[in-house]
């Protein structure tokens, strides 16, 4: 797709999290769509075949195929084509392709269960793709079968962001079944499909579900510049009486590159074929009370999946300024099309608009167009074309499956390579023998070491079966993920003295937290999921999300994940142990020494650094979604680390939002997020602003024992700030420590974080800079007499020390104002997930 503009897509790589994509506005220098660099493979064949002008190379001689056990089958009495042959796999195998250029690639897989000695319609298999140098991949098809009553090919189409290197497509048979494929296409999509903010850590993965020529005839791949197939819209039309097909236009189209309020001009027929823009569906009558939208198309989709939708328009009924109508989805207003304010108005000019939808647990998405209240004309609503692509948001696969590769078609082998391989092989065998003997000795020793205590009865049965290898909530397996982090249940029992209550250091919504010592002597915090949640599966998404996030990020101010256990229906997370507990403990617990103002500033700066890294660092963009004082932990040196990523969402964040169920903790939740259900990194900024007030005032975010107007700390603090009375509610233990300039800067930072409009809030990078500035002001404060150190005059004008404020290194993020549909659910967590952890190795 060419351009999503302000509507970037948010897609999690990890379990918690989902990725956001923003396509660039790169346009063609010419109107014709250039043929792309391509791979076309004729699977199971010894001869090349032609299809719609494409030459498919036989895989038996291509060198693309890597397999140990496969079989080629062929139809009889058929003309040569990619559907005459198929490659069958009894074991997992893959095709690999050399990629020279980073970009968005179009991948098509062709399946036809033709009649042969093998019943291809019984095949059941998965298809995995590994498009990145980091070896992160995705499951494209799960438990796929190619049954098709129409006896026509099934073509599965995907858009993937791919890095230079080797791109692999795996075919993995299920159980005793097999996998097969007839043909494969892999080619670089035209420049207009290239993502603007592509990151190798977060690949682009979209699956085409619908492509419709509205008001026109079916378009076969032969008549599309990049061989797409377009269906007619009649089978999707809800009320045929509300619409009529337009007369095909014979006029030449004005291919133009332009942008207007999210609308983009189609620069060439790579966007859509000429025939799509020549026809349209037009509204016949005005909306009636029982039928609020004149033209509605209904599409069956996967429940809970999100989709990228592109709608195509062309001014075949007149310039854009002559018509005005509204676009809706499931009854929710999306956009007004046309009108006198439309900045580009030209006859026969094609353009399109992109937006993202959530099915919200429904198996249907309705797209509707209807008259705007600003027009009095009748036949003013129309649509030329529609595309719908499912956003694949399952957890990424961290490593490709282990495969024995027997490359087909590579016959030239140098003798020196053979001799070297033999010698190397003999050396490897010797090394393996020594390794096996050593391993057996080690395992024997470990069994002796752990045999001194009796194992506790397993919750939910005695099986060692892993929950994660069954697949995640989205159907993507985790058996390839983070295997190096697995810790056995037996070792964790020993580490916690069989989960002795004497070692209990915290209780939370997910479960209890125990202090433990691993076999290597390392102190850890062991968070064990509650038993009732293990039966219902309610804690599984958070468990998977925490693993996926923390296993792929490392930062000094983020709590490190040491390992996890998913045996015996257990959900256990193991973290570094944080000696000083949570920030909240040191603000409210009278048994602990009070933190000084300098310590509080350093803790806030550390937490801000951790959050800034999450938002913009190497992780690619993560929204924490549950920032609060109990999730900021302190090591033995009071170094702050952000913790608890069970509610996180992932993906590039700049200029984006994602429609999602509201999750978090009362008192910290962003009011705009609650109302609009649009999640952005600015929601974290708001929550952090509440933490800043907690640090300043040493009181909970919500205190039901106080008068009504003082219960909510954010509201009460901002009211006091507005009245110039904020210094009166500052923690009495630090009042005499705070330099007035530092106080003013700190309080203004909190105020900016707590703005109602997310667009008015700073980025986390700006917050970090402001806090470091407040710390610098505190450090450079001139010595004052005790009576002069009071903050009573903090609201007055001050003579600041000579400290230069440099421009912020982070740029302001403009949050998109598109209102996306969302659920009404409010899922909150009011309990601490864990409290005491300790740093092991500094990171």
């Amino acid at each position: 797709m060419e351009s999503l503009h302000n509507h970037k897509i948010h897609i999690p790589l990890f379990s918690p999290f989902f990725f956001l994509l923003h396509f660039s506005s790169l346009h063609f220098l010419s109107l014709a769509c250039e043929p792309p660099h391509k791979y076309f493979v004729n699977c199971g064949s010894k001869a090349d075949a032609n299809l719609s002008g494409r030459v498919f190379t036989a895989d038996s001689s291509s060198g693309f195929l890597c397999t140990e056990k496969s079989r080629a089958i062929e139809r009889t009495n058929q003309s040569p084509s990619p559907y005459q042959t198929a490659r069958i796999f009894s074991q997992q195998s893959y095709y690999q392709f050399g990629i020279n250029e980073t970009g968005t690639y179009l991948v098509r897989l062709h399946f036809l269960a033709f009649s042969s000695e093998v019943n291809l319609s019984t095949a059941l298999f998965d298809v995995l793709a590994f498009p990145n140098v980091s070896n992160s991949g995705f499951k494209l098809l799960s438990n796929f079968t190619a049954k098709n009553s129409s006896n026509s090919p099934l073509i599965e189409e995907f858009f993937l962001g791919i890095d230079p290197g080797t791109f692999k497509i795996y075919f993995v048979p299920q159980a005793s079944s097999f996998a097969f494929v007839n043909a494969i296409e892999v080619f670089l999509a035209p420049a207009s499909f290239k993502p603007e903010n592509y990151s190798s850590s977060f690949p682009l993965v979209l699956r085409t579900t619908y492509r419709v020529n509205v008001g026109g005839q079916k378009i076969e791949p032969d008549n599309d510049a990049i061989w797409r197939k377009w269906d007619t819209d009649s089978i999707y039309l809800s009320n045929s009486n509300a619409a009529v097909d337009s007369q095909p236009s014979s006029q030449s189209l004005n291919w133009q590159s332009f942008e207007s309020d999210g609308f983009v001009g189609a620069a060439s027929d790579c966007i859509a074929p000429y025939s799509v823009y020549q026809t349209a569906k037009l509204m016949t009558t005005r909306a009636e009370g029982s039928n609020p939208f004149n033209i509605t198309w209904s599409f069956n989709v996967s429940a809970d999946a999100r989709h990228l939708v592109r709608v195509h328009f062309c001014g075949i009924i007149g310039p854009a300024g002559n018509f005005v109508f509204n676009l809706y989805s499931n009854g929710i207003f999306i956009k007004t099309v046309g009108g006198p304010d439309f900045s580009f108005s030209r006859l026969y000019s094609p353009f399109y608009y992109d937006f993202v939808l959530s099915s919200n647990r429904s198996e249907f998405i309705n797209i509707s167009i209807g008259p705007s209240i600003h027009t009095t004309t009748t036949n003013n609503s129309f649509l030329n074309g529609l595309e719908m692509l499912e956003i694949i948001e399952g957890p990424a696969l961290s490593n490709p499956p282990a495969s024995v590769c027997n490359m087909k078609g590579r016959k030239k082998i140098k003798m020196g390579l053979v001799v070297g391989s033999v010698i190397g092989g003999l050396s490897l065998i010797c090394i393996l023998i020594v390794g096996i003997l050593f391993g057996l000795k080690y395992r024997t020793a470990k069994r002796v070491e752990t045999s001194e205590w009796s194992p506790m009865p397993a919750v939910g049965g005695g099986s060692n079966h892993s929950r994660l290898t069954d697949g995640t909530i989205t159907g993507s397996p985790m058996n390839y993920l983070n295997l190096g982090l697995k810790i056995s249940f037996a070792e964790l029992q020993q580490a916690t003295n069989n989960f002795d209550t004497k070692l209990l250091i915290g209780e939370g919504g997910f479960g209890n937290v125990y202090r433990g010592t691993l076999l290597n002597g390392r102190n850890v915090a062991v968070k064990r999921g509650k038993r009732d949640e293990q039966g219902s599966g309610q804690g599984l998404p958070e468990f998977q999300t925490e693993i996926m996030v923390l296993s792929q990020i490392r930062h000094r101010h983020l709590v490190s994940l040491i390992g996890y256990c998913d045996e015996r229906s257990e959900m256990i997370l193991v973290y570094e142990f944080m000696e000083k507990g949570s920030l909240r403990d040191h603000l409210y617990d009278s048994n602990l020494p009070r933190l000084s103002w300098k310590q509080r500033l350093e803790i806030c700066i550390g937490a801000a650094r951790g959050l800034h890294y999450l938002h913009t660092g190497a992780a690619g963009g993560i929204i924490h979604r549950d920032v609060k004082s109990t999730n900021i932990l302190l090591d033995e040196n009071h170094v702050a680390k952000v913790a608890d990523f069970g509610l996180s969402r992932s993906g590039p964040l700049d200029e984006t939002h994602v429609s999602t169920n509201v999750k978090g903790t009362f008192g910290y939740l962003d009011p705009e997020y609650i109302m609009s259900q649009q999640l952005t990194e600015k929601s974290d900024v708001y929550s952090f602003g509440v933490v800043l007030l907690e640090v300043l005032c040493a009181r909970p975010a919500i205190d039901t024992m106080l008068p009504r107007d003082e219960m909510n700390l954010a509201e009460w603090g901002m009211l006091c700030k507005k009245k110039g009375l904020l210094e009166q509610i500052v923690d009495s233990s630090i009042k005499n420590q705070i330099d007035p300039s530092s106080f003013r800067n700190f309080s203004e930072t909190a105020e900016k974080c707590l703005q109602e409009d997310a667009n008015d809030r700073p980025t986390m990078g700006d917050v970090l800079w402001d806090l470091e500035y407040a710390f610098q002001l505190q450090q450079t404060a001139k010595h004052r007499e005790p009576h002069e150190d009071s903050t009573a005059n903090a609201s007055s004008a001050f003579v600041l020390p000579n400290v230069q404020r440099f421009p912020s290194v982070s740029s302001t993020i403009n949050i998109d104002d598109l209102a996306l549909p969302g659920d009404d659910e409010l899922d909150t967590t009011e309990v601490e997930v864990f409290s005491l952890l300790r740093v092991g190795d500094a990171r």
Side-chain angles (χ1 to χ4, degrees), residues 239-245 281-296 325 369-372 375-382:
N239 183 4
S240 59
N241 295 325
V244 62
D245 293 340
K281 217 76 166 187
L282 301 178
M283 182 184 68
T284 56
T285 59
R286 274 197 163 277
E288 300 174 1
S290 60
N291 182 26
F293 305 114
N294 290 81
I295 314 178
T296 298
F325 58 92
I369 55 175
S372 169
T375 183
T376 58
T377 59
T378 302
N379 295 325
N380 68 316
S381 301
F382 71 95

Side-chain angles (χ1 to χ4, degrees), residues 329 332 334 356-358 360 659-660 676-678 819-823:
S329 172
I332 298 176
I334 299 295
V356 177
L357 293 177
S358 173
N360 295 325
S659 179
T660 176
S676 67
Q677 300 181 21
Q678 306 305 313
L820 299 179
D823 295 330

Side-chain angles (χ1 to χ4, degrees), residues 26 98 114 152 198 201 217 220 222 246 250-251 257 273 349 435 526 530 542 544 584 618 652 655 669 683 736 775:
L26 300 179
F114 57 73
S152 59
Y198 175 72
S201 300
Q217 300 297 315
E220 296 296 339
D222 312 59
S246 67
S250 59
Q251 295 290 330
S257 174
S349 179
V526 180
K530 289 181 179 179
E542 292 184 22
Q544 294 172 341
R584 177 170 180 162
E655 299 183 19
L669 280 169
S683 298
N736 294 330
F775 181 81

